[in-house]
Amino acid sequence: MLLFSTSADTLPSNNENPSKQNKRTRLTRKKAWLFVPATRMDRVPKAFASGADAVIVDLEDTVAVADKVKARNDLQTYHDSADYQPVWVRINIANSHDFTKDLACCQQLPNLAGILLSKAENAADIEQVYKVTGLSVIALIETAKGLHNLDAMAKVSGLLALSYGFLDLCNDLQVQVGTQAADIVANQIRYNLLLVSAVHQLAAPIDTIYPDFNDDNGLCDRVQLWSHMGLSGMLCIHPKQVAVIKQALRPSADDIAFAKKVVEEYEHSGQAVFKIDGNMIDAPVIKRCQQLLLQINVE
């Protein structure tokens, strides 16, 4: 049977706003989201050169308080340069002094790809970011309160997707990192984000970082996990992780051959239910096969 998975997010509802559909579809094609500190804007071109599908300029954790003003200025300089490529920006936590400054900065940068709101907890904060900047928002869930308020936040206009910071959540929930218990909690969080995203027609969630950037095998296993669960992509902290993610997501030759058989039989017979290699094929499998072949053509 078919081994690959495709996020349900690629199959939008007919009742959905076309503009939102398009944004969702574009976002779900982004698999590797690479952070770059705003204090090192020289690394942005290198980040894109690594093959990252999206580059996130970080104004939050990787920037010391004393460097925040310069970081915002450097971001604006890059935005206004001839070499600019659209980047996402992670801004500081709502209600902080730097949050207000970050919003004012981003309001002057209309060509940003979008905003990541760190430690998102309230629907009103997401709405404020969207109204001030006019940019799509990805909410980073990093606290117990944020998890508790998922449903309310997911209803807000301007919210495009959800992601999460697992280490911060573990601290808040008193979960021991690196244990079987932590793995159970992480999968529960993924499930909650998936469910809420599907119900409210958001893009499929983006998985959290894998902290050990020298552990390619562990990263590959993680990629297989979240992709099979239906998440759309993953946050990265090092350029070398990008290639590992892309390789781990590449469909196997068997998957591609199976998908071609299914689509060819469907187009030839017009039947909604049939058998291929002893497997019963119906509408969900046909759609997954079509999406896989479309993905290959896009790449």
Side-chain angles (χ1 to χ4, degrees), residues 5-293:
S5 65
T6 302
S7 162
D9 189 83
T10 58
L11 306 172
S13 164
N14 291 331
N15 297 324
E16 190 178 359
N17 181 291
S19 175
K20 186 176 180 181
Q21 263 188 35
N22 291 337
K23 288 181 180 179
R24 252 186 20 167
T25 301
R26 289 196 300 269
L27 185 138
T28 53
R29 290 176 182 159
K30 299 181 187 301
K31 304 303 178 184
W33 296 69
L34 181 58
F35 280 107
V36 173
T39 51
R40 294 300 309 269
M41 296 302 297
D42 58 301
R43 292 182 180 174
V44 171
K46 297 175 184 177
F48 280 113
S50 74
D53 300 298
V55 173
I56 306 165
V57 174
D58 185 26
L59 289 171
E60 195 218 8
D61 282 351
T62 60
V63 180
V65 173
D67 297 328
K68 300 279 190 185
V69 173
K70 184 178 185 302
R72 284 188 284 266
N73 290 337
D74 289 348
L75 171 61
Q76 177 135 23
T77 298
Y78 173 68
H79 176 275
D80 297 339
S81 72
D83 298 326
Y84 176 72
Q85 296 183 70
V87 294
W88 293 74
V89 176
R90 177 165 74 166
I91 63 175
N92 285 274
I93 185 171
N95 299 321
S96 68
H97 174 73
D98 284 303
F99 170 75
T100 304
K101 297 292 185 180
D102 290 347
L103 281 189
C105 173
C106 292
Q107 190 177 29
Q108 304 303 314
L109 309 177
N111 295 320
L112 291 178
I115 303 291
L116 277 74
L117 176 60
S118 59
K119 298 178 178 61
E121 293 184 337
N122 298 298
D125 297 330
I126 297 171
E127 190 170 11
Q128 180 183 4
V129 172
Y130 178 59
K131 284 186 174 180
V132 170
T133 67
L135 298 167
S136 296
V137 181
I138 295 174
L140 294 174
I141 308 303
E142 301 176 88
T143 65
K145 184 177 179 180
L147 273 178
H148 182 70
N149 290 337
L150 267 181
D151 191 68
M153 289 190 289
K155 298 174 183 177
V156 176
S157 297
L159 183 67
L160 188 58
L162 299 165
S163 186
Y164 66 105
F166 188 58
L167 298 180
D168 283 312
L169 274 165
C170 284
N171 288 337
D172 205 26
L173 296 170
Q174 300 297 301
V175 174
Q176 176 100 27
V177 176
T179 63
Q180 184 178 7
D183 291 340
I184 293 171
V185 171
N187 283 333
Q188 181 65 38
I189 292 168
R190 292 183 181 105
Y191 170 74
N192 285 342
L193 267 61
L194 278 164
L195 181 61
V196 169
S197 297
V199 168
H200 295 289
Q201 296 186 331
L202 302 176
I206 301 163
D207 202 45
T208 191
I209 66 161
Y210 189 80
D212 186 353
F213 54 78
N214 289 314
D215 180 11
D216 289 355
N217 290 333
L219 175 57
C220 186
D221 290 342
R222 167 72 74 76
V223 173
Q224 293 295 320
L225 173 66
W226 61 252
S227 63
H228 290 166
M229 288 188 73
L231 278 72
S232 66
M234 182 177 189
L235 302 175
C236 309
I237 57 171
H238 196 283
K240 67 186 295 184
Q241 294 181 313
V242 173
V244 178
I245 292 171
K246 297 292 185 71
Q247 180 60 39
L249 290 172
R250 190 163 291 137
S252 70
D254 288 344
D255 284 344
I256 295 171
F258 183 84
K260 286 180 177 179
K261 282 185 183 180
V262 169
V263 173
E264 286 171 1
E265 177 61 26
Y266 174 67
E267 292 177 347
H268 173 73
S269 69
Q271 298 296 310
V273 179
F274 49 88
K275 282 188 178 182
I276 293 287
D277 298 340
N279 296 303
M280 189 195 80
I281 307 300
D282 58 6
V285 178
I286 294 168
K287 287 179 180 179
R288 289 203 300 271
C289 290
Q290 290 171 330
Q291 288 296 326
L292 173 64
L293 297 181

